[in-house]
Amino acid sequence: TIGNLHRATVAMVKAPAQAQKAEKVLPLLSEEELAVFKRGRNANVHSIPHNASRADYLKATALECLIGWLYLNGRKERINELFNIMMEEE
């Protein structure tokens, strides 16, 4: 149903889930990608959602920064590569 699809989607985009996905790709990042990730992680955030720890929220923010940076640099193939790794079942 639409409600179940919505709940599944929300579960995937919450900060804890994104932080877990970031952990999967961290060892695979280049030096340059890792530098972008760390800059995103160190961003000054003023509010953190109740459903996330500060560490998870910062990792999720870092992952979003990395994906945005890759997109802006036209590296869509690399985005797809990382996304496929993140979505692999364990």
Side-chain angles (χ1 to χ4, degrees), residues 47-63:
S47 63
I48 296 172
H50 296 289
N51 66 348
S53 69
R54 181 171 182 78
D56 282 350
Y57 189 71
L58 293 177
K59 277 184 202 167
T61 300
L63 181 63

Side-chain angles (χ1 to χ4, degrees), residues 2-52:
I2 292 174
N4 290 339
L5 180 61
H6 176 71
R7 277 187 287 284
T9 302
V10 169
M12 291 182 83
V13 298
K14 283 185 176 180
Q18 287 183 359
Q20 185 180 35
K21 302 295 185 189
E23 288 294 329
K24 288 178 79 171
V25 296
L26 266 175
L28 308 172
L29 298 181
S30 70
E31 199 173 297
E32 186 179 27
E33 291 168 344
L34 187 58
V36 171
F37 182 90
K38 287 180 178 180
R39 284 183 65 198
R41 184 189 61 200
N42 294 335
N44 191 9
V45 294
H46 298 289
S47 63
I48 296 172
H50 296 289
N51 66 348

